[in-house]
Amino acid sequence: MRGGEMDAYFCLDGVSKRYGGLAVVDAVTVEVRRGEVFSILGPSGCGKTTLLRMAAGFAEPDGGRIVLEGEDITRVPPNRRRINTIFQNYALFPHMTVWENIAFGLKVAGKGRAEIASSVEAMLELIDLREHAKKKPGAISGGQKQRVAIARALVNRPAVLLLDEPLAALDLKLRQRMLLELDRIHDEVGTTFIYVTHDQSEAMSLSDRIAVMNEGRIEQVGSPVEIYEAPRSSFVAAFIGDTNFICGEVSGFPDKDYCELEVAGLGRFLAYNDKKVPRGESVTLSLRPEKLFLERERGAREGVMNEIRGRVEEIIYLGSQTRYWVRCGEYRLGVLMQHGRFLLDQRPVTWGEEVWVRWHADDGYMLQSYTEADEALLTVSDVESGEAAEEGHDAD
C-alpha cells in the first residue's frame, strides 16, 4: 500500500442515482484512503462512470453524501471541490500550446506569473515534455496528450484526481507504457487517484485496492491479490480474469483443513475448506485455468491432488502459452499451460486426445454466493460487458 494512512480520506457514503426509474447507482459506499490508487472496475453499464460523475460534482446524488477530509461536499459545485478529472478524450484546448494548457487552471485561479511559470515548468519536468512545451496538441502523440492532461489536472494540487478510462483511446503498447507513467507520476506527487476502468489488467497492475462493481452495486473491495485469489462471488471470479466453475455438494471432511465435494457425473474432489462449509451444503468451486495442468497418464493420487478424465476439444496457441479446452462430462474446462523448455520437450497434446486434468486442492476456491443467474458462467468465461443503457447519459 503506497498511501500510508488508513483513514477514510474520501468517502462516497450510501450514494444512489436513478435515471428514469432505473437505479444506476444503488446505495454505494466507498472509502478511499489518502494517497492510494483506488480503482472502480466493472463492465459497461454497471454505474462506475455515474459514480465518478457524482464524486466530481457533475451529477447530484439522489441519496447519500460525499465527504472529503471530513467535510460534506455533496452540494458543493465542481469548481469549488478540490477534485480534478481526466477524461477519455483529454479535453485539451487545441488553440493553446502544451505550456498554456497546463497553465490554464492556475490562471483561472488567479495565481501570479512567477508561481504559474514555476508550477508549469515543474509539471513539464514531471511528464518529461519540456521540449514540447511550445507545441499545440495537434502536433503531439496520443500518449503525450494524455501526459499533458495529467499535468493540467495535477498542477493545482487537487486533493483527489479522478481518471475516467484515461487510456481507452490508446493502442495496447501505448497503454502499457502509460500505466508505468501513471504509476511513476503517482509515486512522485502522492495525490489520491480514483481510477475508473473496465480493463482488468489496468486495474490489477496500477491499484492499491479495487472495487468491483456490478449492476449499480459494489460486489467486493480488496487488493488485486485478494480480488483475484479470493473472490467473494461468481461474478467477481469470472470478471477478474478467467475461471472454471464446478458445482458440488460438501459430502465429507477427510481432515480439519479440507472437505470433500461430490460433483454429479464427475465424482469426488478435495477442496480447501477455509469457510468451514457444513456437510450437505451446495457450493461452487472456482478453478483458474493457470492452476490446472494436463497429463496423458493418470498420476498417483498423493496428498491433496485432484484429477478428472477428459478429452481435448480445442487448442489455441497464444505464443507464450497454449489454452486447452477439455470436455469432462458436462463441463468444458479451460487449461492454460505456460511454455517452457520442459513443456516444449514433450510431445504436444493434440485435438481429440484423452488426458487427465489435475490440480492441487488448495488451488480451488469455494464460492457460496453462486445463484441460478450465474448458469451462463459455468465454463471458463472471458466475461463480456453487457451494454446496459443509462438513457440520455454515459453508458457506464
Side-chain angles (χ1 to χ4, degrees), residues 79-94:
N79 63 314
R80 292 180 55 201
R81 300 187 184 195
R82 293 181 296 123
I83 298 173
N84 282 348
T85 307
I86 297 176
F87 302 98
Q88 290 183 31
N89 61 359
Y90 318 133
L92 300 179
F93 299 112

Side-chain angles (χ1 to χ4, degrees), residues 209-271:
R209 290 188 301 143
I210 300 170
V212 181
M213 197 167 181
N214 182 37
E215 296 183 344
R217 293 177 177 269
I218 299 295
E219 295 257 345
Q220 184 174 351
V221 177
S223 70
V225 172
E226 290 169 341
I227 294 289
Y228 188 83
E229 298 291 350
R232 290 183 185 169
S233 69
S234 53
F235 174 83
V236 175
F239 189 76
I240 305 296
D242 296 340
T243 197
N244 301 283
F245 290 135
I246 296 178
C247 298
E249 182 178 290
V250 176
S251 59
F253 304 95
D255 61 40
K256 64 183 179 64
D257 293 322
Y258 297 92
C259 66
E260 197 169 56
L261 297 183
E262 181 74 37
V263 179
L266 293 184
R268 294 184 176 184
F269 306 100
L270 293 174

Side-chain angles (χ1 to χ4, degrees), residues 320-335:
S320 63
Q321 304 166 319
T322 295
R323 183 184 293 276
Y324 299 88
W325 296 87
V326 183
R327 173 62 61 183
C328 303
E330 295 181 0
Y331 292 87
R332 190 170 185 258
L333 302 182
V335 181

Side-chain angles (χ1 to χ4, degrees), residues 61 94 118-119 123 149 155 166 192 203 221 232-233 253 337:
S118 174
S119 297
M123 282 293 131
V155 74
T192 302
V221 177
R232 290 183 185 169
S233 69
F253 304 95
M337 299 286 284

